[in-house]
Amino acid sequence: MKVNMAVDLGGLVLTNPVLTASGCAASGRELDRIFDITTLGAMITKSIMLEPRQGRPTPRMAETPSGMLNSIGLQGPGIDRFINEDLVWLAERGVPTIASIAGTHVHEYAELTRRLRSAPGVVALEVNISCPNHDDRDHVFACYPEPAAKVIEAVRRSAPFDLPIFAKLSPDVTDIVEIAHAVVDAGADGLTLINTVLGLAIDPKTLRPVLSAVTGGLSGPAIRPIALRCIHQVRAALPKIPIIGVGGVTSGQDALTFLAAGANAISVGTWVFSDPNAPARVSQELAQELKARGVSDVNEVVNLAHAEYPLESDAVVSLNE
Amino acid sequence: MKVNMAVDLGGLVLTNPVLTASGCAASGRELDRIFDITTLGAMITKSIMLEPRQGRPTPRMAETPSGMLNSIGLQGPGIDRFINEDLVWLAERGVPTIASIAGTHVHEYAELTRRLRSAPGVVALEVNISCPNHDDRDHVFACYPEPAAKVIEAVRRSAPFDLPIFAKLSPDVTDIVEIAHAVVDAGADGLTLINTVLGLAIDPKTLRPVLSAVTGGLSGPAIRPIALRCIHQVRAALPKIPIIGVGGVTSGQDALTFLAAGANAISVGTWVFSDPNAPARVSQELAQELKARGVSDVNEVVNLAHAEYPLESDAVVSLNE
Amino acid sequence: MNTPSASLGKNRIHQIDAEVLATRRAGAYTVLTLSANQIAAAAKPGQFVTCSVGEVGTGLILRRAFSIHDVTSTGGQGGTIDVVVAPHGGGTQWLAQRRRYDKVNVSGPLGQGFKVPREPVSCVLVGGGYGSAPLFFLAKVLAARGCRIEMILGGATADKVFGILESRRAANSTTLVTEDGTLGVTGRVTDVLVDSINRFDAKAIYACGPMGMLAAISELAVDAEVACQVAVEEAMACGFGVCMTCVLPIKGDDEVPRLVRACVAGPVFACEQVAWHL
Amino acid sequence: MNTPSASLGKNRIHQIDAEVLATRRAGAYTVLTLSANQIAAAAKPGQFVTCSVGEVGTGLILRRAFSIHDVTSTGGQGGTIDVVVAPHGGGTQWLAQRRRYDKVNVSGPLGQGFKVPREPVSCVLVGGGYGSAPLFFLAKVLAARGCRIEMILGGATADKVFGILESRRAANSTTLVTEDGTLGVTGRVTDVLVDSINRFDAKAIYACGPMGMLAAISELAVDAEVACQVAVEEAMACGFGVCMTCVLPIKGDDEVPRLVRACVAGPVFACEQVAWHL
Ligand SMILES: Cc1cc2nc3c(=O)[nH]c(=O)nc-3n(C[C@H](O)[C@H](O)[C@H](O)COP(=O)(O)OP(=O)(O)OC[C@H]3O[C@@H](n4cnc5c(N)ncnc54)[C@H](O)[C@@H]3O)c2cc1C
Ligand SMILES: Cc1cc2nc3c(=O)[nH]c(=O)nc-3n(C[C@H](O)[C@H](O)[C@H](O)COP(=O)(O)OP(=O)(O)OC[C@H]3O[C@@H](n4cnc5c(N)ncnc54)[C@H](O)[C@@H]3O)c2cc1C
Ligand SMILES: Cc1cc2nc3c(=O)[nH]c(=O)nc-3n(C[C@H](O)[C@H](O)[C@H](O)COP(=O)(O)O)c2cc1C
Ligand SMILES: Cc1cc2nc3c(=O)[nH]c(=O)nc-3n(C[C@H](O)[C@H](O)[C@H](O)COP(=O)(O)O)c2cc1C
Ligand code: FES
Ligand code: FES
C-alpha cells in the first residue's frame, strides 16, 4: 500500500507533512550533510530580521530534564544576505521554503515581507511574533491579541495575496485561542503552534542563571504535552485553520499524535540536535505507522483525538488493534 | 558547623524549608510509613473542598518525558471529615499543617476558611485558585487578576487576622506578576509558585487523549524551568513577599536553585511518587549543600540568583569553588 | 508532642537499592530475583512492589508496579523477592534488560494481600498472562495451610502463559489455556473455570489478570456462589496512597460504589466489591 | 530541479550506532574505542564527534562532544575511533560506564581540524586535562610529515594529566606539569611553554584545554611570534551548525570580532582570530 503523505495547508500543498522548525535547522545547508533535505515537506528557516544581528552573549543554552533552554537572540545575517545566499541556495537545491520573519516593530515585519515578495523558492511566510514589541512597553507581540493582530495585518498587506502566512504563537498566554482568533481575523492563513515556553535554569554551583540572558525558551520533549494541548484547544475553536504543530516531536508516533490533536503538518525542532537525522526518520516512521494501521492518506488521522471529528476513526482504531 | 534551616515566611516560622506539595502527599499518614514526617517544615495537604468529591474518572494520569499529567479532579472527603480525621491526626502527630482549600465559587472558599478557623494544627492556609470559576464563565480563578483577587479577599476576610494565607498561582497566564500583585493587594501574605501546567497526552495506539478528562496538569522535572522562571519573575517584582517554590524539585541541589531564584521554602510534589523518601532526602541534601559551601543559614542563599540581591554572595560563591 | 514516627511501626514501607541476584527468561517474560531482605520478610501474597526504572537523568520518572511472585526469607539477611516483568513500554523494557549485579530501587511491600481461608479447602487460582505471577507466592501459603490447589494459567499465546513448569510443584493440578490453542485448552480461562470449581468442590477462587478477565471470573464466581478474590491492575503513579490516580469503583457496605485507591485498599478485593461496569 | 543530495558528497556527516570495542581507564578518564568505520576514514586531527547519552526514555536529550583522540583506519570495514571521556555530569558519567559490546550513537567527523605545516618543522603540542586527547591524533599526522614534536601535558593533579605513557611514543620529548606538583613540573603549562619554544626552535604551537589556558598560551605565542592554533570548547547543543549556541567572538580580516559557530568554523582557530577578552 502506498500512503499519501501530501498535505494541503489551505492551498499550500506540500509533498510531506514533516518540516523543520525555525531556528533548529538554520537554512538547510548543514542538514543536507546528514540527509537529503529535498525529502522534507519544506524547510522553515531561522527567523530573519532586517539587519544583521549578533544575538545574545553566551552561555546561550542549558540542558533541562527532557528539554533545553535557549537564548540565541535571533543571531542572523539580515534579510539581504539571507535572500542572496540562503534562499538562492535553497531554491537551487529545490526545497520549498517557509521563510520565518521577526522584528521588534510592526513596520519591520512589513518591510521584511516586501523584501521577500520576489525572493526565490518561498512558498509561505511564518511570522514569529514571539519577539519583544518595542512599540509597546517591550511586551512580546504574541502575548496580547492586539499587537499580534497588528503584525499579521501588516504582513498580510505587504505580501502577495496568494502567499500563505502562518502566525507562530507563543504558549505563554492565558488564552491561546483568543490570540489565534485575533491573528486569523487579521489575515493569517494558518498557525504554527507552539514557540518555546519561557523558562529559567540556575547553575547549582554559582547559583546564578545559566543563560547570560537570564531566561530562555524551553523546547524539546518536556513541552510536548503543552504543544499538544495548545494544538488541541486551537483546533477545537478553529476547525478549518491549517496548523503546523511543533514542540517535542521525536518520532513518527509523536508526529501521529500531533496530527490527531489537530495539526496538519509537523515540525521537528530540538530533536534535530539529538538526532540530526530526525526529520527524515520521523517522516519515514510516520509513513510506516500509517501503513501498519491500514491508513492510505495521512490527512485521515488529522483531528482524530477530537470526539467531534472522528473521520474514518473506526477504520484507524480497529486496524490498529 | 550547624546549619540553621528555620525559615520565616512573613511571620510563619518553620523549622525546615522543605514541605510537601498539595495533592502529592495526601494528609501525611501514608508518607509517615516511609519517613518521619515530623522532620518536615510543614505538610501542605491535598486541596479540600466543602463537600466529598469523587473527582474525575480514570485514566487520571499519563507519564510524559520527565513529567506526568494528572487529572484527579480534587477527589476528597469534604471539609468536615478532613478536619475530624486528617487534621486531628496531623495535630496529634505534631506536624505543622498548611491546609490547601479549593472551590468553584468565591463563597465556598470563604466557608472553607470559616470551618478551618478552629481546626487543630493549621499554621497557614494555601488557597488553590487553579479551579474552574463557576461564577464566571468557567474560567480558572488563577488566570485573571480580578477573580483571583476576589477569592483571596474572601479568604482574608473569613480567616483569623494572624493566620497567614498563601495564594497558589497557575503558570498558565500571560503575566504571572500581574496576578501576583492582584492577590497580594487582596491580602495574600505569601505565594505558592507554581501549580501544574495545562497539558495533553494522546495515546499513540488509540489516537485519543490518554486522560478521560482530556487535558491534565503537567508536573515534575519537565516544568522545573517554568517554575524557576515564575519564581524569579515574581521575586523581582515583589522583593518582600514570602514564596513557597514548587515544580520539579528532586534533590537538595534543585532546592538550592529554587531558593536562589527567590523561594523562601520548597515543596516536593511529583518526586514523592518517584522516590517516596524524597522530602526527607531533599532536606538532608540541602543541609549538606549549605554546609559544603560554608553557609550557616539557609536564608542566606535566598535570592542569590538575582543580581540585585547579592546577599552575602561572595561568601557563598567563593566557598563553593 | 511528637509521637514516635509511625515509620518505625510494622506498617513501614521499605525502599531498598536491591541487587539483581539472578535473571531468567520465562516465555515472553523475564524473572528478576532481587535481594530485598526487609521486603521479603514482611511480604504477603497479593502484595506488590514498585521499582524505579532508567539510569541517571532518565525521563521515565514514575515507578513501575510488580506483583511479588516469590519470596525467600532466611530469617537472616539473605531474603529475596522475585518479580515477573512483561516488557511493554520503556520502563519494563529497561527492567527486563537488567543483568546480575545491577541495582534496582525497590519499594514495598505495598497494598493488601489475599485473604487466606482458615480451613484447608480446595482453591482455584486463575492467572492471565503475567497476572499468574502472584499466584505462586499465594500457592505456597495455601499449601502450608493444607489447601488443595488447582491452577488455571492462561494467555493469548503459549509464551504468554506464565509458570507452566513451576505450577507442577505449586499446584495439585493445572489447566493451561491459550487463546490461539498453541498450548493446552483453546479458549479463555473462563471456559474451564466452572468445570474446575465443580471438579474440586472449590471453596475459594483467586484471580489476577486483565480487568476483562477478572470481571468475567467474578460473574461466574457469584453464580457459582464461591468466594472470589481478585487482584486488580490500575495505572499507578505512586503505589502507596498519596496521588489518587489508581482509583476504581468499590462498593461499600451500603452497596454504593465509591472511587477507592487500588494501591492501598487493594490491589486485592473481594470480587463482589468491585463495581465492574462503572 | 533537484540536484543530487549534498549528503552524498564528501562533506557528509556520518551517524552510526557504534559498538564499544574496548574501554580502558587512564587516570581520571575513560578511553572508549568505538567501531566507526566511516568516521575513522574521514576524520582529521582536531575534529570531534558527538555521542548520544542515556538509555531509552532518557531525559538527557543533547549529544555530548568529544575530540577524536585516535583513529585506526584499515581501509576495510574495521575503522575505529578513540575518545577520552572525563566523567563530569550525567551524560559523561553514563558514557564512562559503557562496557564492551554496548552501543553508542556517534556522529562525525565534525568541525575543522588543525592545519598542519608543509615543512617538517618543530611543533609544541600543549594539552590541559582531557584537552590533551586530540593532540595524539595530531602528533601521528605531524610525525608522518617529519615534524619534531614536543608535548606539554598539564592537569590540576597527576590523574588529570592525560596521555603520559602514550606521549613517550607520540612525541620526541614531553614535559609534564601539574598544579599541585604531584607529577612533573609544579605549575601551569604556560610556565614551561616559552622554554620549550626556544629549546626546540618551534615553528608551530597547537593547544587544547580550558579557555583560560588557551588565552594565556595565545598571548605567549603572539609575543614569541610563533604560529599557534587552538581547539576551543564551547557548550554545544547540536555540534553541526544549526543551533547557534556555540558561538564565540572571532575576528575577521577587518579585525572586527563577530560571533561565529565553534562547531563548524572551529573548534580549531588561529589564536589571533579569537577575541579572547570579549
Ligand atoms: C498492582 C500491580 C501489579 C502489577 N504486576 C505486574 C507484574 O507482576 N508484572 C508485570 O509485568 N507488570 C505488572 N504490572 C503492570 C506494570 O506495572 C505495567 O505494565 C508497567 O508499569 C508499565 O510500564 P512501562 O514502562 O512498560 O509502560 P509505559 O506505558 O511506558 O508506562 C507509562 C506509565 O503508566 C503506568 N502504567 C502503564 N500501564 C500500566 C499498568 N498496566 N498498570 C499499572 N501502571 C501502568 C506506568 O507505571 C508508568 O507510570 C502491575 C501493575 C500493578 C498496578
Ligand atoms: C569540541 C569539543 C570537544 C570536546 N572534547 C572532549 C573530550 O575529548 N573529552 C571530554 O571529556 N570532554 C570533551 N568535551 C566536553 C564535553 O562535551 C562536555 O564535558 C560534556 O558535554 C558535558 O556533558 P555532561 O553530561 O557531563 O555534563 P552536563 O553538565 O550534564 O551537560 C549539560 C549540557 O551542557 C553541555 N556542556 C556542558 N559542559 C560542556 C562543555 N564543557 N563543552 C561542551 N558542552 C558542554 C553538554 O553537552 C550538555 O548538552 C568537548 C567539548 C567540545 C565542545
Ligand atoms: C536553538 C533554538 C532556536 C530557535 N529559534 C527560533 C527562531 O528563530 N524562530 C522561531 O520562530 N522559533 C525558534 N525556535 C523555536 C522552535 O522553532 C520551536 O517552536 C520550539 O523549539 C518547540 O519545538 P521543539 O520542541 O521541537 O524544539 C528555536 C528553538 C531552539 C531550540
Ligand atoms: C497527582 C497530583 C495532584 C495534585 N493535586 C493538587 C491539589 O489538590 N492542589 C494543588 O494546589 N495542587 C495540586 N497539585 C500540584 C502540585 O501541588 C504542584 O504544584 C505541582 O505538581 C508542581 O510541583 P511538582 O512538579 O513537584 O509536582 C497536584 C499535583 C499532582 C501531580
Ligand atoms: S497509586 Fe497513588 S494513590 Fe494509588
Ligand atoms: S553547536 Fe549548534 S551551531 Fe554549533
Coordinates of all heavy atoms in Angstrom, one line a residue, chain A residues 285-307:
Chain A
E285 N 9.0 7.0 9.6 CA 8.3 6.3 10.7 C 6.8 6.6 10.6 O 6.0 5.8 10.8 CB 8.8 6.7 12.1 CG 10.2 6.1 12.4 CD 10.7 6.7 13.7 OE1 10.1 7.5 14.4 OE2 11.8 6.2 14.1
L286 N 6.5 7.9 10.3 CA 5.1 8.3 10.2 C 4.4 7.5 9.1 O 3.3 6.9 9.2 CB 5.0 9.8 9.9 CG 3.6 10.3 9.7 CD1 2.7 10.0 10.9 CD2 3.6 11.8 9.4
A287 N 5.1 7.4 7.9 CA 4.5 6.6 6.8 C 4.3 5.1 7.2 O 3.3 4.5 6.9 CB 5.4 6.7 5.6
Q288 N 5.3 4.6 8.0 CA 5.2 3.2 8.4 C 4.0 3.0 9.4 O 3.3 2.1 9.3 CB 6.5 2.8 9.1 CG 7.6 2.4 8.1 CD 9.0 2.5 8.8 OE1 9.1 2.6 10.0 NE2 10.0 2.6 8.0
E289 N 3.9 4.0 10.3 CA 2.8 3.9 11.3 C 1.4 3.9 10.6 O 0.5 3.1 10.9 CB 2.8 5.1 12.2 CG 3.9 5.2 13.2 CD 3.6 4.4 14.5 OE1 2.5 3.9 14.7 OE2 4.6 4.1 15.2
L290 N 1.3 4.7 9.6 CA 0.1 4.8 8.8 C -0.2 3.5 8.1 O -1.3 3.0 8.1 CB 0.1 6.0 7.9 CG 0.2 7.4 8.5 CD1 0.5 8.5 7.5 CD2 -1.1 7.7 9.2
K291 N 0.8 3.0 7.5 CA 0.7 1.8 6.7 C 0.3 0.6 7.7 O -0.6 -0.1 7.3 CB 2.1 1.4 6.1 CG 2.0 0.7 4.8 CD 3.4 0.5 4.3 CE 3.6 1.2 3.0 NZ 5.0 1.1 2.5
A292 N 0.9 0.6 8.8 CA 0.6 -0.5 9.8 C -0.9 -0.4 10.2 O -1.4 -1.4 10.6 CB 1.5 -0.4 11.0
R293 N -1.4 0.7 10.1 CA -2.9 0.9 10.5 C -3.8 0.8 9.3 O -5.0 1.0 9.5 CB -3.0 2.3 11.1 CG -2.5 2.4 12.5 CD -2.2 3.8 12.9 NE -1.2 3.8 14.0 CZ -1.5 4.0 15.2 NH1 -2.8 4.3 15.6 NH2 -0.6 4.0 16.2
G294 N -3.2 0.6 8.2 CA -4.1 0.5 7.0 C -4.6 1.8 6.6 O -5.7 1.9 5.9
V295 N -4.0 2.9 6.9 CA -4.4 4.2 6.5 C -3.6 4.7 5.3 O -2.4 4.7 5.3 CB -4.2 5.2 7.7 CG1 -4.6 6.6 7.2 CG2 -4.9 4.8 8.9
S296 N -4.3 5.0 4.2 CA -3.6 5.3 3.0 C -3.4 6.8 2.7 O -2.8 7.1 1.8 CB -4.4 4.7 1.8 OG -5.7 5.3 1.8
D297 N -3.9 7.6 3.6 CA -3.7 9.0 3.4 C -3.5 9.7 4.8 O -4.3 9.5 5.7 CB -5.0 9.6 2.8 CG -4.9 11.1 2.5 OD1 -4.0 11.8 3.0 OD2 -5.7 11.6 1.7
V298 N -2.4 10.4 4.9 CA -2.0 11.0 6.2 C -3.1 11.9 6.7 O -3.3 12.1 7.9 CB -0.6 11.7 6.1 CG1 -0.7 12.9 5.1 CG2 -0.1 12.1 7.4
N299 N -3.8 12.6 5.8 CA -4.8 13.5 6.2 C -6.0 12.9 7.0 O -6.7 13.5 7.7 CB -5.4 14.2 5.0 CG -4.3 15.1 4.3 OD1 -3.9 16.1 4.8 ND2 -3.8 14.5 3.2
E300 N -6.1 11.5 6.9 CA -7.2 10.8 7.6 C -7.0 10.8 9.1 O -8.0 10.6 9.8 CB -7.2 9.4 7.1 CG -8.1 9.2 5.9 CD -8.2 7.7 5.5 OE1 -8.2 6.9 6.4 OE2 -8.1 7.5 4.3
V301 N -5.8 10.9 9.6 CA -5.6 10.9 11.1 C -5.7 12.3 11.7 O -5.8 12.4 12.9 CB -4.2 10.2 11.5 CG1 -4.2 8.8 11.0 CG2 -3.1 11.0 10.9
V302 N -5.7 13.3 10.9 CA -5.8 14.7 11.4 C -7.1 14.8 12.2 O -8.2 14.4 11.7 CB -5.7 15.7 10.3 CG1 -6.0 17.1 10.8 CG2 -4.4 15.6 9.6
N303 N -7.0 15.3 13.4 CA -8.2 15.6 14.3 C -8.8 14.4 15.0 O -9.8 14.5 15.7 CB -9.3 16.3 13.5 CG -8.9 17.7 13.1 OD1 -8.0 18.3 13.7 ND2 -9.5 18.2 12.0
L304 N -8.2 13.2 14.8 CA -8.8 12.0 15.4 C -8.9 12.1 16.9 O -9.7 11.3 17.5 CB -8.1 10.8 15.0 CG -8.4 10.3 13.6 CD1 -7.7 8.9 13.3 CD2 -9.9 10.1 13.5
A305 N -8.1 12.9 17.6 CA -8.2 12.9 19.0 C -9.4 13.8 19.5 O -9.7 13.8 20.7 CB -7.0 13.5 19.6
H306 N -10.1 14.4 18.5 CA -11.3 15.1 18.9 C -12.5 14.3 18.7 O -12.8 13.7 17.7 CB -11.4 16.4 18.0 CG -10.3 17.4 18.2 ND1 -10.5 18.5 18.9 CD2 -9.0 17.3 17.8 CE1 -9.3 19.2 18.9 NE2 -8.4 18.5 18.3
A307 N -13.3 14.2 19.8 CA -14.5 13.4 19.8 C -15.4 13.8 18.6 O -16.1 13.0 18.0 CB -15.3 13.5 21.1

